[in-house]
Amino acid sequence: MASLLFLLFLLSTLSSPILSSSLDSLIVDSSLSVENTEDVLASPGGVFSAGFFPVGDNAYIFSIWFTETHCSNNCTVVWTANRDRPVNGKNSKLSLLKSGNLVLSDGGRLVAWSTGAVSRCTAKLSLLDNGNLVLYCKEGLVVWQSFDFPTDTLLPGQPLSKDEHLVSSRSHANYSSGFYKFYFDTDNILRLLYDGPEASSIYWPELYLLSWEAGRFAYNRTRVAVLDSLGNFSSSDGFTFTAADYGTRVQRRLKLDVDGNLRLYSRADRGKKWIVSWQVMSEPCRIHGICGPNSVCSYVASSGRRCNCLPGFKIKDLSDWSMGCDPEFNLSCAAAEVRFLKLKNVEFYGYDYGFYPNYTLEMCENLCLHLCNCKGFQFKFIKHNYPSNIPYCYPKMALLNGHHFPQFEGDIYVKVPKSGIFSNITVDKLDCSSQIVEQLYRSYPKSHENGSLRFILWFSCAFGIVEFFVIFLVWFCLIRTRQNSGMQGYSPITTQFRRFTLSELEKVTRGFGEEIGRGAGGIVYKGILPDRRVAAIKRLNVANQGEAEFQAEVSTIGKLNHMNLIDLWGYCAEGKHRLLVYEYMEHGSLAENLTSNAVDFEKRFNIAVGAAKGLAYLHEECLEFYIPQNILLDGNYQPKVSDFGLSQPLKIGSRHLNPRFSRIRGTRGYMAPEWISNQSITSKVDVYSYGMVLLGMATGKCPAEETQDKMMVPWMREKFNSENATDSWMEKIVDPRLEGKFDKRKMEVLIGVALECVKLDKDERPIMSQVVELLLQHEKYPECVS
Ligand SMILES: *[C@@H]1O[C@H](CO)[C@@H](O)[C@H](O)[C@H]1NC(C)=O
Ligand SMILES: *[C@@H]1O[C@H](CO)[C@@H](O)[C@H](O)[C@H]1NC(C)=O
Ligand SMILES: *[C@@H]1O[C@H](CO)[C@@H](O)[C@H](O)[C@H]1NC(C)=O
Ligand SMILES: *[C@@H]1O[C@H](CO)[C@@H](O)[C@H](O)[C@H]1NC(C)=O
Ligand SMILES: *[C@@H]1O[C@H](CO)[C@@H](O)[C@H](O)[C@H]1NC(C)=O
Ligand SMILES: *[C@@H]1O[C@H](CO)[C@@H](O)[C@H](O)[C@H]1NC(C)=O
Ligand SMILES: *[C@@H]1O[C@H](CO)[C@@H](O)[C@H](O)[C@H]1NC(C)=O
């Protein structure tokens, strides 16, 4: 019976011209069917495919994705017709009608989506190699195109204009419309908006900045922004950025991600890994709504961003942090029955009753006590022109956009009942087991003539959504619990990350024959992987970590993706052996290149910017902080920060912090003064080291050797700040190897930033994302030539 059916199926496939494999276009009166996996439109060069994409066991969306050799349900989707209305896996079709209307029918009868475009001419649907799905007239007239209706992704050459916007997906597994929006506002400014179920607010550009302060131009009504294929994004409001790999011809996509961050991804070719080559928010906790009401966003070393409920509050939806936390108490309006809990260095943004300058803590408490709906208040000191800082009081009607960051000089006071006992911040873990797999609910109107269809639909619905969710859950739990062992990488960006055996690596390095360097904590060998990739394999000296712990850390680092961070391809943990497999960096370390004459000033400046971007990503996107040791250069002299985390057994805030460290590290000159004094260690130590590296690049001297020349920095600072200094001071200190060939203005920027970074008071140093901005400042405000 089954074989007969199969035969029938085969016959029908052969006899129907529309159902042959990978079509190049769809003509009038034909359709693509959800049941036939071959019903996929391919672009002429094979870059993109369009077809039905599964989002559950019996739920499909009609989408465009990057063609991949193997991707059934984890393809990189760039456009979706019916994201909020998935169609049934039976009888659903995309049909091009005689009228020229393109219609997506659900279960054969209901219209889930249509272009609504009607053309008198004979239409044809084609997918182009730039990812645009176009409905043409025979005469070449465009009747409709997917580029005019973006979902969450912009492709190179696809303009974002007046009435278009990007809307993020709801979650990694749920492609329906989420809460974040990228659009042109009515004042012509390109913005990012959090549009949640209960609240909405703009988080980029920062609302407290006037448009011109944010570098925007509010008077151009054109309202169009476009990314070009080289990686240059420019908008009519003056906002521009270029990708870290600007200029290279690679595949690119600009996506408004699930977490509200806008990221530009690029990759060399099909099957390669996507890397982040630009992102708008370097501090993801500043994205509104990320943790929902009554919770606090913070960064933790090793697992990245985390949400915590406020004391006395409980997570609302165990599978979804964006729903936030609910109070476990009822608040009375009587002032005598409530008190305040203080949380240090926590900011809650917005939803103020107003702001009250020069209010003492007591006055602020009283104010909130007597406002029945006041949920708490923000209390902070703002630096002013006044003789001293004065305190500001902000009573809150809701506690949203909570964000903990150590640099923030302010506290939040949360109103709680006097009687309750509240511990400080509670850490609720997302409970993966409670992520109930939902079935696609679809109500079809009653039909008299077609009871059997209904039965089939219900029958197929009944087999819930399985595979996709299982994969997502597994991936999610792996990240959350860090108990991963196999690490085949379920996240699409870590597909190439894997575990090697010792004998494999022995073979790869020809018995650890070619030593290419000795870095922090180990010797590095060159090797060629079976897939011909050249790798740098670092053999760590000590196995001071258990295997599970090592694996957990390695997998965290393996998940980092940034142009300017070295790529970790895999690892080996056997017995006492711990090895890391990195990409090979052709030009070796920055220090080596400075001593040879290989890098001119232009290259040095780019290296400074790249390294700053890599560090900013490390600091603010993923991990609290690590101490990077080394900047390596690839074949194009692109810098990549390496030796962070693992290979450097000095991670702060963990058991690795170890008083012997100054002995371990030979590069004292780069070390921030906090290390030697008793001050707390923050990510600002990296900023200091980075500043020293910049000074090294400008002067050509290794600061580590400069211990006898301690006066150098103060001297430079004095010259830099004095108004009547002549230009010649710069020539005195600049690396003679540059032979005077450098852009004075850029050199000034470089030295200025370096001096900011090496300030002795860590609070006066900028954070890395500010460093990036400072370095690029001169591009935004070109000097007037008189
Ligand atoms: C996806 O998200 C939407 C909107 O929140 C929700 O209605 C829908 O049930 C979700 N789908 C699945 C399969 O969870
Ligand atoms: C990016 O494009 C804009 C507009 O076309 C142009 O003004 C700008 O110079 C370009 N930037 C680069 C780095 O090419
Ligand atoms: C407005 O923006 C468009 C596109 O970026 C540009 O071509 C045009 O010159 C701008 N107009 C003004 C007045 O700046
Ligand atoms: C809060 O009040 C509601 C009804 O007023 C009650 O059902 C609930 O149990 C109370 N919660 C607590 C924690 O007392
Ligand atoms: C702040 O208030 C105190 C008294 O409450 C007053 O002496 C002081 O001048 C005020 N400062 C400013 C800057 O208004
Ligand atoms: C958190 O609670 C612990 C004990 O419950 C206490 O020792 C600690 O100081 C509290 N931390 C803060 C920031 O209040
Ligand atoms: C998709 O998943 C399959 C295995 O499920 C894997 O082989 C493939 O490499 C993945 N593709 C991408 C693009 O992640």
Side-chain angles (χ1 to χ4, degrees):
M1 178 65 188
S3 57
L4 184 66
L5 276 177
F6 181 68
L7 199 66
L8 277 173
F9 171 76
L10 250 184
L11 278 175
S12 74
T13 310
L14 290 176
S15 61
S16 159
I18 316 155
L19 294 175
S20 59
S21 88
S22 264
L23 310 155
D24 55 2
S25 59
L26 191 67
I27 51 167
V28 164
D29 259 350
S30 63
S31 55
L32 300 174
S33 154
V34 69
E35 280 131 307
N36 189 349
T37 51
E38 308 262 273
D39 269 8
V40 170
L41 282 181
S43 65
V47 186
F48 290 95
S49 305
F52 287 92
F53 181 80
V55 287
D57 196 35
N58 191 39
Y60 290 81
I61 51 180
F62 188 83
S63 299
I64 300 172
W65 61 85
F66 278 94
T67 309
E68 217 72 62
T69 336
H70 307 286
C71 82
S72 49
N73 53 17
N74 55 358
C75 315
T76 309
V77 171
V78 296
W79 180 81
T80 299
N82 56 323
R83 65 193 308 193
D84 291 317
R85 210 180 147 178
V87 294
N88 209 290
K90 278 266 182 296
N91 285 335
S92 297
K93 268 186 193 139
L94 181 81
S95 317
L96 183 51
L97 307 183
K98 270 214 181 62
S99 64
N101 197 1
L102 185 65
V103 176
L104 179 61
S105 66
D106 183 7
R109 289 157 1 97
L110 298 175
V111 173
W113 172 87
S114 80
T115 60
V118 175
S119 57
R120 294 270 149 74
C121 57
T122 326
K124 186 173 128 180
L125 185 72
S126 301
L127 180 61
L128 309 185
D129 267 331
N130 60 2
N132 194 3
L133 186 67
V134 185
L135 192 58
Y136 285 113
C137 269
K138 273 257 169 61
E139 298 78 47
L141 189 75
V142 174
V143 182
W144 174 92
Q145 56 182 346
S146 64
F147 266 21
D148 291 341
F149 302 89
T151 48
D152 61 1
T153 303
L154 278 187
L155 292 167
Q158 177 179 11
L160 182 78
S161 47
K162 261 194 185 65
D163 307 315
E164 294 158 14
H165 46 251
L166 300 187
V167 173
S168 65
S169 288
R170 189 66 185 79
S171 72
H172 287 288
N174 188 338
Y175 286 78
S176 59
S177 303
F179 299 142
Y180 296 100
K181 190 168 160 185
F182 180 55
Y183 68 112
F184 276 104
D185 214 336
T186 46
D187 62 356
N188 306 322
I189 302 282
L190 200 53
R191 296 189 197 280
L192 282 166
L193 169 78
Y194 165 69
D195 192 5
E198 284 164 33
S200 85
S201 52
I202 285 162
Y203 58 97
W204 179 84
E206 300 264 16
L207 268 190
Y208 63 81
L209 293 175
L210 297 172
S211 57
W212 58 268
E213 285 175 322
R216 306 301 187 84
F217 180 73
Y219 307 102
N220 191 332
R221 295 190 58 214
T222 319
R223 289 190 215 166
V224 66
V226 66
L227 172 73
D228 71 17
S229 58
L230 295 177
N232 178 8
F233 181 90
S234 69
S235 156
S236 56
D237 70 351
F239 173 72
T240 64
F241 72 81
T242 50
D245 55 357
Y246 174 73
T248 45
R249 295 221 165 254
V250 292
Q251 295 188 342
R252 301 180 189 279
R253 61 193 167 95
L254 182 69
K255 185 176 177 197
L256 180 55
D257 271 323
V258 172
D259 63 0
N261 211 341
L262 186 69
R263 295 189 180 88
L264 179 65
Y265 292 88
S266 56
R267 67 171 183 182
D269 205 355
R270 177 190 305 182
K272 295 270 166 31
K273 198 159 95 167
W274 288 105
I275 51 173
V276 176
S277 48
W278 177 83
Q279 64 179 356
V280 69
M281 304 294 287
S282 52
E283 294 176 85
C285 278
R286 287 195 186 276
I287 296 171
H288 290 179
I290 206 82
C291 286
N294 305 315
S295 75
V296 181
C297 177
S298 56
Y299 315 109
V300 244
S302 76
S303 60
R305 184 179 52 218
R306 187 152 85 185
C307 304
N308 289 321
C309 286
L310 287 171
F313 290 77
K314 197 165 181 291
I315 184 169
K316 197 166 176 175
D317 179 346
L318 280 168
S319 64
D320 185 0
W321 262 113
S322 63
M323 304 312 288
C325 310
D326 276 339
E328 293 183 291
F329 49 76
N330 290 325
L331 265 188
S332 154
C333 272
E337 286 174 33
V338 297
R339 65 189 171 102
F340 292 98
L341 281 181
K342 171 181 172 180
L343 300 172
K344 275 180 77 68
N345 308 120
V346 172
E347 177 177 33
F348 275 78
Y349 185 86
Y351 306 93
D352 308 331
Y353 278 104
F355 79 101
Y356 298 82
N358 204 14
Y359 259 52
T360 62
L361 183 58
E362 203 182 336
M363 288 156 81
C364 196
E365 267 187 25
N366 263 324
L367 185 67
C368 186
L369 276 179
H370 293 103
L371 278 169
C372 183
N373 283 325
C374 174
K375 300 288 189 280
F377 60 90
Q378 183 88 58
F379 191 69
K380 67 177 175 187
F381 287 88
I382 297 185
K383 288 192 176 142
H384 256 283
N385 295 330
Y386 298 122
S388 60
N389 296 344
I390 60 163
Y392 276 72
C393 165
Y394 302 81
K396 300 276 176 188
M397 54 186 87
L399 297 172
L400 274 102
N401 307 320
H403 173 186
H404 167 90
F405 58 120
Q407 304 98 310
F408 178 69
E409 285 171 15
D411 309 313
I412 190 87
Y413 289 79
V414 182
K415 205 192 238 182
V416 294
K418 213 164 218 165
S419 53
I421 302 157
F422 301 101
S423 59
N424 36 30
I425 292 245
T426 56
V427 179
D428 284 293
K429 276 227 173 75
L430 270 191
D431 179 359
C432 295
S433 62
S434 75
Q435 295 204 345
I436 300 150
V437 172
E438 272 180 59
Q439 293 180 6
L440 177 67
Y441 174 71
R442 173 97 337 124
S443 61
Y444 292 90
K446 284 205 170 76
S447 129
H448 298 293
E449 73 273 42
N450 205 342
S452 65
L453 171 68
R454 229 172 1 128
F455 171 72
I456 291 169
L457 287 179
W458 278 112
F459 186 74
S460 45
C461 279
F463 289 94
I465 300 165
V466 185
E467 192 181 23
F468 195 79
F469 269 83
V470 169
I471 289 179
F472 175 66
L473 285 182
V474 169
W475 173 71
F476 203 68
C477 293
L478 280 175
I479 290 182
R480 285 283 153 189
T481 60
R482 306 177 68 209
Q483 283 168 347
N484 28 11
S485 49
M487 267 327 281
Q488 294 307 306
Y490 287 95
S491 149
I493 45 179
T494 58
T495 45
Q496 291 171 333
F497 184 77
R498 73 176 193 95
R499 182 180 189 154
F500 292 86
T501 64
L502 189 60
S503 62
E504 240 178 317
L505 291 184
E506 254 162 14
K507 217 192 262 164
V508 158
T509 57
R510 303 220 183 127
F512 298 103
E514 192 180 342
E515 183 180 321
I516 51 173
R518 283 170 186 255
I523 302 176
V524 188
Y525 302 90
K526 189 171 174 177
I528 310 219
L529 299 184
D531 59 9
R532 298 243 175 93
R533 285 184 296 168
V534 187
I537 291 141
K538 177 178 236 171
R539 201 171 184 154
L540 300 183
N541 291 337
V542 276
N544 59 352
Q545 263 180 326
E547 194 168 319
E549 204 181 335
F550 176 77
Q551 271 172 3
E553 292 216 29
V554 164
S555 66
T556 310
I557 294 172
K559 279 187 210 100
L560 298 179
N561 279 285
H562 191 278
M563 284 297 298
N564 299 111
L565 293 183
I566 194 143
D567 222 354
L568 183 64
W569 287 342
Y571 68 98
C572 163
E574 268 180 45
K576 282 209 167 311
H577 302 282
R578 301 282 182 272
L579 295 96
L580 299 169
V581 181
Y582 289 109
E583 64 180 313
Y584 176 72
M585 300 294 284
E586 212 162 307
H587 283 120
S589 78
L590 172 63
E592 286 162 28
N593 279 273
L594 286 181
T595 47
S596 75
N597 257 354
V599 283
D600 60 18
F601 182 69
E602 222 23 60
K603 285 202 187 95
R604 289 187 195 192
F605 194 83
N606 287 340
I607 290 166
V609 175
K613 284 179 177 168
L615 282 176
Y617 178 84
L618 264 188
H619 282 176
E620 282 123 9
E621 169 65 2
C622 299
L623 303 158
E624 199 138 73
F625 40 82
Y626 285 105
I627 313 163
Q629 174 98 348
N630 216 344
I631 293 168
L632 299 178
L633 304 178
D634 72 5
N636 299 320
Y637 290 99
Q638 273 290 333
K640 300 207 182 198
V641 176
S642 77
D643 283 354
F644 45 85
L646 266 187
S647 47
Q648 171 55 274
L650 294 166
K651 208 172 70 195
I652 317 302
S654 78
R655 75 217 99 73
H656 299 313
L657 179 55
N658 138 4
R660 289 173 299 131
F661 98 95
S662 52
R663 199 160 50 78
I664 302 170
R665 291 169 61 95
T667 50
R668 273 194 90 108
Y670 292 96
M671 280 159 39
E674 296 96 284
W675 285 112
I676 302 139
S677 68
N678 269 340
Q679 291 176 62
S680 62
I681 301 295
T682 65
S683 58
K684 292 293 182 68
V685 300
D686 285 349
V687 178
Y688 185 92
S689 306
Y690 173 80
M692 285 318 244
V693 170
L694 284 198
L695 286 181
M697 283 204 270
T699 61
K701 293 183 189 138
C702 172
E705 294 160 4
E706 288 301 301
T707 38
Q708 75 278 24
D709 202 2
K710 278 223 164 70
M711 295 314 292
M712 180 79 156
V713 170
W715 183 81
M716 280 169 77
R717 189 164 279 141
E718 188 198 318
K719 290 290 174 197
F720 190 83
N721 291 333
S722 88
E723 304 218 326
N724 46 17
T726 56
D727 278 355
S728 65
W729 72 272
M730 209 189 259
E731 269 133 40
K732 269 198 203 127
I733 55 144
V734 161
D735 187 357
R737 277 177 291 242
L738 289 174
E739 294 167 349
K741 282 181 243 153
F742 58 88
D743 177 337
K744 273 220 181 66
R745 236 180 122 236
K746 278 192 172 176
M747 181 63 89
E748 216 174 288
V749 169
L750 196 74
I751 294 175
V753 171
L755 292 175
E756 286 293 304
C757 291
V758 299
K759 285 207 166 140
L760 294 181
D761 180 354
K762 65 178 191 315
D763 297 331
E764 286 184 20
R765 293 173 210 150
I767 59 171
M768 283 318 295
S769 55
Q770 288 167 333
V771 168
V772 176
E773 270 165 36
L774 287 172
L775 286 173
L776 297 177
Q777 206 60 213
H778 70 98
E779 289 180 0
K780 266 193 209 150
Y781 308 104
E783 199 170 30
C784 297
V785 185
S786 54

